[in-house]
Each structure stands twice: as C-alpha cells, then as structure tokens.
Amino acid sequence: MSSDLATIDLQTGSPGTDVSASGAWSKSFIKRLETPAISQWVQVAGMLFAIAASPATAVPDYWFFERRRRDVSTVAWILEGIIGRPISRSEALRISAQILEQAERERSEFATWEAKRGIQWEAGE
Amino acid sequence: MIYEYPDQSAPLRQGDIFVGIPRIELSLKRVLLVQADGEREATWEGLAARTKPFDIIVPVRSVAAIVATQDCDTLHSRDITLCEIREFREVERKSKDTSAPKKWKNIITQQARINQKWFYLPPDEKVGFAEKMGVDFLVTLRVPRIDLEALRSLRKGRLNGIADEHFRERIAEFYRRYPYDEWYPLNKEEMQTYVEEYPDAKPFPWQGTAAGSGNGPR
C-alpha cells in the first residue's frame, strides 16, 4: 500500500487501520472526567492571563522593534545630514594640508623620541 | 649593491621598490565631509555609527615604498601592502649626525641583531636613492594589486636574494614583537640607574622602590 492510499485510509477511518495512533483524532470517543467548576475558572483565568501577557513575555515583537529601528534610522539619517561644521572648499583644503603636515611632524617627533631611548650605538667608541 | 632591476613584465614580489606610491593621511579628529550642499568638518566619533559610505577629503603624498606583502599574496590578493621608504636619517634619528664609516657600520649592522623598526637601504643611482634610505615598518600603505601591476613602470628595483632574505626575516620579526618591560629583573640599585635614564619606567614591587604596575611605556 502506498503512502497516499494510507493517508486516505486514515481520513476515512476504514476498518483494519489503527487510526488512534495518528494522534489527530480518536476513533472511539471516550468521555473524559469532568473537572470541578473552580478549575474551569482557574483555566479561563490562566488562558486570559496567557493571552494578555504573551506579547510581553514570549518572543520579541518583530513589528515593534522594526518600527523602532526605522525611527532610529530616520533620526540618524536626519542627523547625518547636519553633522559637522560647514566650511568652504578652500578651508577644507587648508585643513587637509594641516592634517598631512601634522602627521609627518608627529612621525618625526616620534623618531626623535625613539632615538633617545634604547641602545646608544655610538656610545663606548 | 643589494638591488636587482627586474623587467617590467616581471610579477610583483616582496621586496619590490616603487617610487611614487600614494600615502594617504587620516585624522579622526578632523574629518572633511563632502556633501551635496558643501563641505563640513566633523569628528570621526560623530560619523562612526554611519553604515552607508560617504565621501571625505584626505591629503595624499607620493612616496617611495617597498612591497611588504609576501610572494604568494602578491599574486592573488586584492590589496598589496607596502612600507614607506624615507631618508635613513629621518627614520633612525640616532644617525642624524653620523658621518664616520665606523659609526655607520655600527648602526647599519645592528639591524641584523636587534629588532629594529626599520630596514636599511643603501644609496643606488639606478633605483633613485641618492642618500641612505630606510624602510619604516610603522608606516604602511595599501593599494589595489591590479592597479599596482598596471603601474610597474614605477618599480625602480627590488631587493636581491640575500637582501630579500634579511628583509622578510626583519619584517616578520617586527610584526611578531611583543611588549615586555625589560627592566623587570634589575635589582634596586640597577633599577635606580635605569630610572635615571628612562624616567617613565615604573619599578615592579620587588624592585624595592615605589610600587608600580610595571606597565609603563615599552
């Protein structure tokens, strides 16, 4: 018997098939024990609590975080547009030259500082 | 001297010397933004969170440099790393007033025995070095490999076999250095002398002077 046919058998509940093992439904209905009335109220209260509390206690709310992320992005984008001090092109080029001069000067100063440390090769000659 | 002059068709190799490589300078305190409405000066701290690329103005100088990337990577990697070459007297300030051959001999041969931050390159007319030069391992440049291959006309020479063996050993040693406080085993009297010479050295507790972490400058 193919698996497709077996599926049809389960759905129709044909004789000779142990449908109860499927777990989807029970072939022979057995009346379950009644639980006390107070337990029903407890169950209802529990369900209501679970429904009410689930958004806060279960998995993170994607839409909430997505909306917040978008808001932050929008704010950041606005801020990106106004960051810094406006300067002219000529001033930018002047600062650029200063950056280069400063870098070279600092390397020179570091080399001088290094030369005062460590082994003095010429000593003792 | 210690150089070879490869044909322009020869592939890139560690130890290749180029004259005319761009050295870009960045400042994290002064970032020059280029925007549609003009230029702005900002700090990198204010820009670090940006995820989208943006444009800035940076200064650049054309310098001499030597390929530091190892041979395998010079064939395939996207980027090539070079170290800047400057006049030796600038790189090693101990030699700023040196003139006697004996003193030069002492300075130059030290590089084979002590882990220095430079590599000595003698003058060579064909390479274009009129003075003694030095590779500064602290100043690295990065350029696209394909672009550099297309500009092999800027390659003025390369280290010969012996020099390249020393170069690759020296650069490897430089990058495997680890910081340590060399004064840790000195006794109290020796440490006192050491501190007179290097005031920023902090004694360790067992050296009998003021308590220190031993984490001073290295």
Side-chain angles (χ1 to χ4, degrees):
Chain A
M1 183 181 291
S2 71
S3 59
D4 290 342
L5 290 175
T7 303
I8 292 170
D9 287 344
L10 288 173
Q11 288 173 342
T12 57
S14 61
T17 306
D18 184 10
V19 292
S20 63
S22 70
W25 53 280
S26 179
K27 185 179 180 183
S28 57
F29 176 76
I30 300 171
K31 186 176 171 60
R32 292 189 174 88
L33 293 173
E34 290 287 343
T35 51
I38 191 163
S39 296
Q40 286 183 343
W41 283 109
V42 170
Q43 285 180 1
V44 170
M47 289 171 63
L48 289 173
F49 176 77
I51 291 169
S54 59
T57 56
V59 296
D61 185 341
Y62 172 78
W63 299 109
F64 171 75
F65 286 109
E66 174 61 17
R67 191 180 65 183
R68 193 166 68 173
R69 189 188 67 79
R70 281 204 308 269
D71 291 347
V72 170
S73 300
T74 305
V75 171
W77 183 82
I78 293 169
L79 288 175
E80 280 180 5
I82 60 171
I83 202 165
R85 178 177 69 91
I87 54 175
S88 65
R89 171 59 66 94
S90 60
E91 187 179 2
L93 296 176
R94 185 177 55 77
I95 293 170
S96 177
Q98 287 176 357
I99 290 170
L100 186 132
E101 289 165 12
Q102 182 179 351
E104 293 178 344
R105 185 175 64 251
E106 287 173 351
R107 285 189 194 112
S108 176
E109 289 169 356
F110 175 73
T112 303
W113 180 80
E114 280 272 287
K116 293 175 182 171
R117 298 174 54 82
I119 298 169
Q120 301 298 318
W121 298 327
E122 295 182 14
E125 282 191 323
Chain B
M1 285 295 286
I2 65 167
Y3 306 106
E4 294 173 352
Y5 312 99
D7 187 80
Q8 196 165 317
S9 62
L12 295 179
R13 215 189 69 181
Q14 187 182 58
D16 281 1
I17 295 167
F18 285 79
V19 176
I21 298 294
R23 188 199 66 206
I24 294 167
E25 302 292 353
L26 282 174
S27 169
L28 303 185
K29 293 177 182 172
R30 309 184 86 181
V31 181
L32 303 168
L33 289 169
V34 179
Q35 295 180 319
D37 60 344
E39 282 71 51
R40 287 178 175 274
E41 183 189 5
T43 65
W44 184 254
E45 188 179 14
L47 299 163
R50 285 194 179 191
T51 54
K52 293 178 181 173
F54 50 92
D55 300 314
I56 63 173
I57 294 174
V58 291
V60 61
R61 188 188 289 284
S62 181
V63 300
I66 187 168
V67 173
T69 300
Q70 63 142 314
D71 289 354
C72 294
D73 293 332
T74 57
L75 295 176
H76 304 292
S77 70
R78 194 272 174 186
D79 298 297
I80 300 291
T81 301
L82 303 98
C83 293
E84 187 184 355
I85 299 170
R86 297 197 304 278
E87 278 197 33
F88 187 76
R89 290 179 195 274
E90 286 183 30
V91 177
E92 178 48 274
R93 286 301 176 89
K94 288 190 178 83
S95 69
K96 70 179 190 304
D97 299 320
T98 303
S99 58
K102 184 181 178 185
K103 291 182 178 179
W104 272 120
K105 177 264 295 178
N106 286 344
I107 290 175
I108 292 167
T109 56
Q110 288 291 332
Q111 71 173 6
R113 288 174 256 164
I114 301 172
N115 193 359
Q116 297 294 354
K117 298 172 183 175
W118 45 260
F119 185 81
Y120 172 69
L121 297 173
D124 185 277
E125 189 177 340
K126 200 167 177 180
V127 174
F129 294 160
E131 302 287 338
K132 295 180 187 306
M133 306 296 279
V135 177
D136 188 345
F137 291 140
L138 289 169
V139 183
T140 54
L141 323 172
R142 188 193 63 191
V143 295
R145 174 179 56 83
I146 301 290
D147 296 4
L148 191 63
E149 285 174 347
L151 274 178
R152 275 176 284 190
S153 58
L154 299 179
R155 182 172 59 188
K156 302 303 178 186
R158 74 166 38 144
L159 298 176
N160 68 17
I162 292 290
D164 186 51
E165 284 179 16
H166 282 270
F167 178 68
R168 70 187 186 193
E169 188 67 21
R170 292 279 299 103
I171 200 167
E173 284 177 2
F174 175 76
Y175 283 107
R176 68 160 294 281
R177 296 181 307 153
Y178 59 93
Y180 70 98
D181 298 321
E182 61 185 8
W183 59 86
Y184 76 94
L186 300 180
N187 64 28
K188 185 177 179 180
E189 291 74 27
E190 292 162 345
M191 187 62 205
Q192 187 62 39
T193 308
Y194 189 89
V195 169
E196 288 171 10
E197 193 171 349
Y198 305 110
D200 52 355
K202 295 176 182 175
F204 285 89
W206 57 82
Q207 291 178 311
T209 54
S213 65
N215 292 325
R218 290 155 165 106

